[in-house]
Amino acid sequence: MNESKKRFSGLSFSNGVGSSSLLVIFVILCLISFATLSIVSANADLKLSAKVLNRTTAYYEANNEAQQSLSGLDNTLSALYAASADEEAYFQSAGHSKSFVIPITEQQSLEIRVTILYPASVQEPFYRVDSWQVTVNETILFEEEEDFLPLFQ
Amino acid sequence: MKSSNTSLFLTELIISILFFSLAAATCIQLFVKAHLLDIRTMEQNETVVWTENLAELWYAGDGDVSFVFETLAADYDGVRQNGAETVMLFFDKDFSPVADTSDAIYCVTLTNTTQDTEASEQNATISFTKESELFYQLPLTLHIPLKGGIAHE
C-alpha cells in the first residue's frame, strides 16, 4: 500500500516535471488545428473564386462570339435586303427569325433569339433581339431526397 | 534530489521550447500562406465585380468610353479618362477606389481598341494590373446594328 502510494506520488506534477510538456503539446495541437483550418478554408475560397472568375470570362467570351454572329447575320441581311425586289422576296430568303446557341460551360449556353425585320426607313435595323439569356443545357438530377428544398404550396 | 528534479524540469522546458519553436515556425508559415491565398481570393472576387461593371457599362453605352467614365465618375473618386479611348480606375490594397494615384496598388483599365467610333464592330479590352504587373485581361466585342433602307430608297 505504502509502495503504491509512493509510486503514485512519483508520477504527480507536484515537482513540475511533465506539466510543461503537456502544456506545449496542447498548444502545438491547437496551433496545428487552427493553421490547418485556415489554410483549408482559404484554399476552398480561392478555388471557388477562381471558378467564378473562369465562369465570368467564359460568359464574356461567349458574348463576344454572339456579337460576331450578330455581325455576320446583319451583313447577310443587309446583302439580302439589297438583292431583294420587295418585302416578300426579302423574307423568303432571310426567314422571319433566327437563333444562336453558344456554349459557355458544359452545363450552360448563351441563347439568342432575333426577329428579322424589313427596314422601312434608313434608321431602322435589320433585326430585333428578343432574348439574350443563359440557359442550362441539361436537367440537373438530384439523387437524394435531402437535396430538395421543402416549399409551401 | 531537489537539484536533480530542477535540472530535469529545466531540460524538459528547453526541449518543450525547442519543439514549440519548430511547431510555431511551421504554423506561422501556414498562416502566412493562408493570408496570401486570401489576398488572391479577394483579387479574383474584385476582378469579377469590376469586369462585370465595366463590361456592362461599355455595352450599355454602345461602346462609348465617355459614357463609362461619366457614369463611374459620379460615384467614385479614383476614375480617370485618358483620351477618348481609355478609362482608368485606381484602388488601394483593399480594392477600395482611391483618388490619389500614388496610394494605388491596383489599376483597372478599359481601353477601346477600335479607332473608328462609327464602325459597326467595336472592340475593347479590360485589364487589371497590380503594381504595374498585368494579372487579368478580357477582350470585349460589340456589334452596333446596321441601319437599313438605304438600298431601296
Side-chain angles (χ1 to χ4, degrees):
Chain A
M1 181 66 183
N2 276 346
E3 204 177 303
S4 71
K5 198 176 174 182
K6 199 176 171 184
R7 232 164 63 194
F8 180 75
S9 70
L11 284 170
S12 74
F13 300 116
S14 59
N15 52 12
V17 178
S19 56
S20 61
S21 294
L22 276 179
L23 185 69
V24 166
I25 288 168
F26 177 72
V27 171
I28 288 174
L29 282 176
C30 286
L31 269 176
I32 290 172
S33 306
F34 286 126
T36 310
L37 281 173
S38 67
I39 202 144
V40 167
S41 167
N43 203 34
D45 286 348
L46 180 72
K47 280 183 184 169
L48 181 65
S49 74
K51 271 186 188 174
V52 175
L53 183 60
N54 289 340
R55 162 67 178 71
T56 306
T57 308
Y59 171 77
Y60 282 106
E61 281 170 357
N63 217 34
N64 291 346
E65 210 175 310
Q67 296 283 352
Q68 279 161 0
S69 299
L70 278 182
S71 174
L73 175 71
D74 219 0
N75 289 331
T76 309
L77 291 175
S78 177
L80 286 173
Y81 183 83
S84 306
D86 54 13
E87 191 173 339
E88 200 182 322
Y90 170 76
F91 279 120
Q92 213 163 22
S93 20
H96 288 274
S97 64
K98 182 94 179 160
S99 65
F100 309 99
V101 179
I102 294 149
I104 299 172
T105 59
E106 279 180 18
Q107 288 86 28
Q108 290 182 317
S109 297
L110 182 64
E111 195 177 302
I112 297 121
R113 289 174 197 279
V114 295
T115 298
I116 294 167
L117 304 172
Y118 184 79
S121 73
V122 180
Q123 289 306 310
E124 287 183 25
F126 290 102
Y127 65 89
R128 181 186 66 234
V129 177
D130 293 327
S131 82
W132 189 289
Q133 60 180 1
V134 176
T135 54
V136 180
N137 293 344
E138 56 198 45
T139 313
I140 300 167
L141 294 171
F142 297 101
E143 291 182 358
E144 301 292 327
E145 205 170 309
E146 291 83 38
D147 290 335
F148 291 100
L149 280 175
L151 296 174
F152 290 108
Q153 286 185 338
Chain B
M1 183 68 184
K2 196 176 178 182
S3 161
S4 156
N5 268 347
T6 311
S7 66
L8 189 66
F9 177 72
L10 284 175
T11 311
E12 187 197 8
L13 204 62
I14 289 165
I15 293 169
S16 298
I17 289 168
L18 183 75
F19 273 104
F20 178 77
S21 309
L22 288 173
T26 312
C27 289
I28 285 169
Q29 281 182 351
L30 288 177
F31 281 124
V32 169
K33 174 105 173 135
H35 178 66
L36 294 175
L37 290 179
D38 196 45
I39 290 173
R40 185 80 194 109
T41 305
M42 183 270 292
E43 285 172 0
Q44 288 184 348
N45 287 337
E46 294 295 335
T47 302
V48 170
V49 170
W50 283 100
T51 297
E52 288 179 353
N53 284 348
L54 288 172
E56 295 307 323
L57 278 173
W58 187 71
Y59 284 128
D62 283 340
D64 184 8
V65 169
S66 299
F67 172 80
V68 178
F69 170 73
E70 281 159 19
T71 312
L72 287 172
D75 290 319
Y76 298 101
D77 291 331
V79 189
R80 301 275 183 281
Q81 187 169 15
N82 191 4
E85 307 90 28
T86 307
V87 169
M88 298 172 94
L89 287 109
F90 296 93
F91 300 90
D92 65 5
K93 64 180 175 55
D94 299 319
F95 239 99
S96 301
V98 285
D100 187 3
T101 54
S102 60
D103 297 335
I105 301 288
Y106 300 98
C107 176
V108 184
T109 313
L110 170 73
T111 309
N112 205 343
T113 50
T114 308
Q115 299 299 320
D116 182 10
T117 52
E118 299 297 315
S120 69
E121 192 172 308
Q122 298 287 320
N123 293 291
T125 307
I126 300 174
S127 309
F128 288 75
T129 53
K130 182 183 183 182
E131 290 168 337
S132 306
E133 196 178 318
L134 183 75
F135 68 91
Y136 182 76
Q137 198 166 40
L138 180 74
L140 297 172
T141 303
L142 173 69
H143 172 67
I144 313 280
L146 300 172
K147 304 294 181 191
I150 300 162
H152 288 187
E153 278 192 342

